[in-house]
Amino acid sequence: MSESANLRDLDKLGQSVWYDNISRELLVSGGLVEILNSGVVGLTSNPSIFEKAISTSSVYDSDIQRMGDEKFSDIELFEKLAIADIQNAADLLKDIYKNTSGRNGYVSLEVNPHLADDTDGTIAEAKRLHEEVDRPNLMIKVPATKAGIPAIRELISSGVSVNVTLIFSRDMYSLVRESYLSGLEDLYEKDMDLSKVSSVASFFVSRVDTAVDKIILEKGLDSEVLMGQAGIANAKIAYKEFEKIFTSDRFLRLEKAGANIQRPLWASTSMKNPEMRDVLYVENLIGPNTVNTMPDVTLDAFIDHGIAKNTITANLNDSYNHIDNLAAIGIDMAGIADMLLADGVKAFSDSFDLLIGNISKKKATLSVS
């Protein structure tokens, strides 16, 4: 795959494209190298992605059989498989990491989703995974739960780069920004190198529309006027808040000491509604200091027919008005965000459990083959 003009145009506008996928098959086939050659500059993963990669492929079977014979537990076995993939991906991305001075070239690995409500457990596992992967371009994924917020501060203050995931509400995003800044200030007080730690705040988009649009239809409201806008409006307002905080005197003092901006990362950007444009969530959230992590179908679609222009601050008043209108007709965005966060944690936990169960079955089958 050659360099994509559309991805190059996004880069010129200040948006980095990361790829929301990983698998051993993609690594060994050279597929990831082709994707990077197109202009993709980072990689994200989650338990659902690893579940699909490991459960549906035979490429891991020899390692599962070998490590099964060595009596590793099913979770230990998964971690070793995942860490090997993450290390290989990080090595492929290391030149991007170096050439962008640590702005891009990251690969993300998520803590066990069952720790979402366990601050101390999240901190311990994140530090352990950070040490075991042992790559400067690793980001540990931590969900934006109440327990996750203090964990983020501790990890940043310990020099662990963090991808904060499952952000749906602007209130939670405010807490995420505060935890990052406080972690940087802790580092500053320790007289440590602030430039070596980085973070993105993964703000989910399409899942918001899926939830809001369902309510609009159930209430019999004007779907043509109201549907398909909440996710983008929510993200645009969040970006405005990002700009305010990361141009403040508080951050500029840290930036002078080498601190990196915590960029908003637009996640869940695949279009779920077949009646809408398939690159809607990419085209409407383009602007400086942003990241968009795309799954295969969205990446291919944008490379093929996406339009790159600065849109993130366009029609901002309309975004505020749309959110106000939703509130006026009884749509509780805060309640929806809480539901989506709980659903997201559960979905990742279920995928994790399914994955571990499938590894157990594979291990048993391979041991007698």
Side-chain angles (χ1 to χ4, degrees):
M1 187 183 296
S2 59
E3 184 184 24
S4 161
N6 287 347
L7 298 192
R8 184 173 64 246
D9 289 344
L10 285 182
D11 180 66
K12 290 178 181 177
L13 292 168
Q15 182 165 91
S16 302
V17 175
W18 293 3
Y19 182 52
D20 194 27
N21 195 13
I22 189 171
S23 71
R24 178 101 22 117
E25 199 163 350
L26 191 66
L27 289 163
V28 300
S29 68
L32 182 56
V33 172
E34 290 187 18
I35 289 167
L36 297 179
N37 288 340
S38 73
V40 170
V41 292
L43 186 71
T44 51
S45 70
N46 60 50
S48 298
I49 287 172
F50 271 115
E51 190 279 319
K52 180 180 178 182
I54 296 174
S55 299
T56 63
S57 173
S58 61
V59 72
Y60 295 92
D61 287 2
S62 60
D63 280 351
I64 291 174
Q65 182 175 27
R66 174 178 56 79
M67 287 188 277
D69 292 341
E70 294 177 17
K71 307 303 181 186
F72 287 107
S73 72
D74 297 333
I75 291 181
E76 288 173 333
L77 203 159
F78 158 66
E79 282 191 358
K80 290 185 178 299
L81 295 175
I83 286 171
D85 284 357
I86 293 293
Q87 287 174 325
N88 288 333
D91 291 342
L92 288 176
L93 287 157
K94 66 180 180 181
D95 287 342
I96 294 172
Y97 176 76
K98 291 178 181 178
N99 293 338
T100 61
S101 301
R103 179 177 175 84
N104 286 304
Y106 290 95
V107 58
S108 298
L109 176 62
E110 190 155 347
V111 296
N112 186 327
H114 288 291
L115 296 171
D117 296 319
D118 181 349
T119 299
D120 292 340
T122 294
I123 292 169
E125 174 149 319
K127 288 182 177 180
R128 178 176 61 81
L129 292 173
H130 173 78
E131 184 175 344
E132 290 189 19
V133 174
D134 192 26
R135 298 293 189 275
N137 52 334
L138 170 72
M139 280 190 176
I140 298 295
K141 264 189 167 183
V142 175
T145 59
K146 289 181 180 178
I149 294 301
I152 294 161
R153 176 175 181 171
E154 170 60 25
L155 293 171
I156 294 298
S157 71
S158 301
V160 177
S161 294
V162 178
N163 177 340
V164 187
T165 189
L166 292 176
I167 305 173
F168 296 96
S169 79
R170 302 197 314 275
D171 286 344
M172 183 58 77
Y173 178 43
S174 177
L175 296 177
V176 168
R177 296 192 305 269
E178 175 60 32
S179 65
Y180 178 61
L181 290 173
S182 297
L184 289 177
E185 287 166 342
D186 293 342
L187 269 180
Y188 185 83
E189 292 301 319
K190 296 175 186 177
D191 198 27
M192 294 178 66
D193 187 354
L194 274 64
S195 69
K196 298 301 183 183
V197 67
S198 190
S199 180
V200 292
S202 294
F203 211 91
F204 280 54
V205 186
S206 70
R207 294 190 198 181
V208 173
D209 275 343
T210 299
V212 171
D213 290 355
K214 180 182 177 183
I215 297 173
I216 290 170
L217 291 173
E218 288 173 348
K219 286 178 174 284
L221 301 171
D222 190 341
S223 60
E224 188 172 336
V225 172
L226 294 171
M227 284 180 62
Q229 300 180 58
I232 290 171
N234 203 36
K236 281 177 177 278
I237 297 170
Y239 182 81
K240 182 65 176 178
E241 294 166 356
F242 152 78
E243 285 189 309
K244 180 180 179 180
I245 293 300
F246 286 95
T247 56
S248 67
D249 290 342
R250 180 186 182 188
F251 177 72
L252 292 177
R253 178 178 75 96
L254 296 166
E255 188 175 44
K256 286 180 181 178
N260 295 300
I261 287 175
Q262 184 189 50
R263 289 184 290 170
L265 180 150
W266 312 127
S268 181
T269 54
S270 61
M271 175 50 67
K272 309 298 191 295
N273 187 339
E275 296 181 5
M276 293 188 175
R277 184 166 169 80
D278 56 0
V279 289
L280 182 76
Y281 296 121
V282 181
E283 291 178 337
N284 283 275
L285 295 172
I286 299 170
N289 293 313
T290 58
V291 181
N292 196 312
T293 187
M294 305 184 199
D296 297 81
V297 63
T298 307
L299 178 63
D300 291 344
F302 191 82
I303 287 173
D304 179 66
H305 53 264
I307 298 171
K309 61 181 180 179
N310 191 320
T311 53
I312 189 64
T313 57
N315 305 313
L316 182 60
N317 286 338
D318 290 344
S319 295
Y320 282 106
N321 289 337
H322 184 72
I323 297 300
D324 289 344
N325 289 339
L326 293 177
I329 58 178
I331 294 181
D332 178 12
M333 290 296 290
I336 288 172
D338 290 344
M339 177 196 71
L340 289 171
L341 175 58
D343 288 350
V345 171
K346 184 179 186 302
F348 285 158
S349 297
D350 290 348
S351 291
F352 185 85
D353 292 343
L354 180 60
L355 168 60
I356 300 304
N358 286 340
I359 285 176
S360 181
K361 292 175 185 176
K362 276 196 173 194
K363 190 170 68 172
T365 302
L366 292 167
S367 68
V368 297
S369 61

